[in-house]
């Protein structure tokens, strides 16, 4: 009797450990044709191609060791890539020590933080997926406690006794977040210039770690967002006052990062489309200014604008409904296309928690899964190819925490046959059981 010799399966390429190659990557649509929703079609951003339109939004987990990622992050982030997310973005990573939100935040301000990030990058790449990192500075919202440490009797401020730095907070102007919070220091021009360099240096480290893309965090009331808003930026120099001056820091950081990353690497920017302060009776950052800013970014080499909102003022009044941020993304997207700047993609984030909603946000015909029109009833036409969508991809946060398998479940619910992780082939999702 001849015994057939077993051979090892094809290993994943370019990683320092054995794992079978995921060819094609999990989450890839196996069917082709018009019946496949846009959500499961590829999207190319410079040299990076995503096999579907799902992105794991950066989510703070307050679990790093002096800015260094740990095994927690490997398992946490790897779970999403394993189950079909085309792009996973590492949580906000501080470009300086005082730019962390909490003492346990991720950072990329020193070379020793490269290797832990690379370990996670290698795993995500072993699954055939892409990984990015969000670079950030928390500004006046830095030096706070992780949310599970906050109690009715314990405030969220991280004092020196627990590793905080309330005496070294940076902001465009010396305006505290709220009553009872520490007053930040107004940054000098030299500090602003050093901040721009810190973003560029962190980007270089991210490239060394092998990431596929970088996102600049310009949202949620952190330092860049504070510069954008006339409420928090009351400077009278070249970095404050006019719209052009208030956006200067973001544009300088964008140019600095674009100059040090590969030409093939896409660059992303996240903004708060509005700070929800129109009720305050004073100038604030709003959707109109976001549209104005968005029109400038493509020429600076930005490939995707990630549209969020709020976070810059405790008095904000958010008008919440399921599409409250998606609609703003759609308006910015439509405005860019009318202006002939449709080459920059738009990402939508916020309350995307069902298969139908994820589909509707990017669907080319502008309909929901049930055949209804988009939430606001409007049909925006993409002048380049006649397609309709609110955004080009969805960034999902909390739903991935609830369901790391959100991509695979969505495919099943929408009737799309996709590639599973090869090791999980015996456990397919069945629509009648979801």
């Amino acid at each position: 009797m001849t015994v057939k010799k077993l051979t090892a399966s094809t290993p994943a390429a370019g990683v320092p450990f054995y794992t079978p190659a995921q060819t094609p990557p999990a989450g890839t649509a196996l069917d082709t044709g018009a019946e496949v929703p846009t959500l499961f079609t590829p999207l190319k951003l410079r040299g990076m191609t995503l096999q579907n339109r799902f992105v794991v939004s950066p989510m703070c987990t307050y679990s790093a060791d002096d800015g260094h990622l740990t095994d927690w992050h490997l398992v946490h982030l790897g779970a999403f890539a394993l189950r079909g997310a085309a792009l996973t973005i590492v949580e906000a990573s501080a470009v300086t020590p005082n730019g962390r939100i909490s003492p346990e935040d991720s950072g990329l301000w020193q070379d020793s933080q490269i290797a832990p990030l690379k370990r996670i990058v290698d795993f995500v790449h072993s699954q055939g997926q892409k990984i990015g990192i969000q670079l950030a500075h928390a500004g006046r919202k830095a030096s706070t406690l992780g949310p599970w440490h906050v109690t009715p009797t314990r405030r969220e401020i991280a004092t020196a006794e627990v590793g905080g730095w309330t005496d070294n907070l940076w902001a465009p102007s010396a305006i505290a977040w709220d009553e009872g919070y520490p007053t930040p220091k107004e940054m000098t021009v030299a500090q602003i210039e050093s901040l721009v360099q810190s973003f560029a240096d962190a980007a270089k480290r991210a490239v060394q770690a092998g990431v596929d893309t970088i996102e600049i965090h310009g949202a949620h009331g952190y330092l860049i967002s504070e510069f954008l808003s006339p409420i928090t930026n009351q400077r009278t120099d070249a970095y404050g006052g006019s719209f052009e001056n208030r956006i200067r820091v973001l544009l300088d950081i964008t140019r600095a990062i674009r100059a040090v990353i590969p030409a093939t690497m896409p660059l992303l920017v996240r903004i708060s489309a509005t700070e929800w302060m129109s009720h305050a009776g004073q100038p604030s950052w709003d959707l109109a200014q976001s549209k104005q800013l968005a029109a400038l970014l493509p020429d600076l080499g930005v490939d995707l604008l990630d549209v969020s909102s709020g976070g810059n003022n405790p008095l904000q009044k958010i008008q919440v409904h399921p599409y409250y941020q998606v609609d703003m993304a759609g308006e910015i997207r439509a405005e860019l296309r009318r202006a002939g700047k449709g080459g920059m993609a738009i990402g939508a984030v916020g309350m995307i928690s069902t298969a139908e909603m994820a589909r509707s946000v990017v669907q080319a015909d502008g309909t929901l899964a049930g055949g209804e029109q988009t939430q606001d009833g409007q049909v925006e036409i993409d002048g380049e190819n006649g397609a309709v969508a609110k955004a080009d991809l969805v960034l999902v946060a909390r739903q991935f925490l609830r369901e790391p398998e959100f991509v695979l479940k969505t495919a099943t619910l929408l009737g799309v046959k996709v590639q599973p992780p090869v090791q999980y082939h015996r456990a397919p999702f069945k629509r009648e059981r979801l």
Side-chain angles (χ1 to χ4, degrees), residues 60-255:
C60 293
T61 59
Y62 312 99
S63 300
D65 180 5
D66 190 29
H68 299 77
L69 301 178
T70 71
D71 286 357
W72 152 260
H73 299 93
L74 175 66
V75 175
H76 164 64
L77 297 169
F80 308 128
L82 173 66
R83 293 167 174 83
L87 171 63
T88 299
I89 303 180
V90 177
E91 63 192 73
S93 298
V95 300
T96 65
N98 76 341
R100 292 170 291 169
I101 302 169
S102 82
E104 293 78 34
D105 268 24
S106 170
L108 205 50
W109 68 80
Q110 58 185 342
D111 288 351
S112 60
Q113 292 158 344
I114 297 172
L117 174 59
K118 186 178 188 305
R119 185 170 180 234
I120 296 167
V121 169
D122 285 344
F123 179 81
V124 172
H125 285 168
S126 79
Q127 303 307 299
Q129 314 290 16
K130 307 300 183 184
I131 183 167
I133 189 167
Q134 185 185 69
L135 299 180
H137 192 292
R140 67 176 184 165
K141 294 176 73 175
S143 192
T144 60
L145 297 171
W148 55 85
H149 295 301
V150 180
T151 68
T153 59
R154 187 174 187 182
R155 301 175 62 202
E156 64 179 338
I157 299 169
T159 60
E161 289 73 23
V162 292
W165 52 96
T166 55
D167 61 342
N168 190 29
L169 302 184
W170 285 358
S173 300
I175 302 172
W177 162 251
D178 200 359
E179 184 178 348
Y181 283 76
T183 299
K185 297 176 181 178
E186 179 173 312
M187 295 177 70
T188 65
V189 171
Q191 286 172 332
I192 292 173
E193 292 172 348
S194 74
L195 173 76
V196 173
Q197 186 60 52
S198 293
F199 269 92
D201 291 343
K204 291 178 186 177
R205 295 185 184 101
V207 171
Q208 285 183 256
V211 303
D212 301 289
T213 187
I214 289 171
E215 178 171 87
I216 300 169
H217 197 350
H220 301 165
Y222 299 122
L223 186 57
I224 294 175
S225 181
E226 293 164 19
F227 270 96
L228 297 179
S229 168
I231 295 178
T232 47
N233 182 351
Q234 298 183 8
R235 301 175 71 97
T236 57
D237 62 4
Y239 294 96
S242 67
F243 169 82
E244 291 75 17
N245 285 356
R246 287 183 281 110
I247 67 171
R248 191 181 305 276
V249 166
L250 173 56
L251 300 194
D252 286 351
I253 289 170
T254 301
R255 293 187 188 97

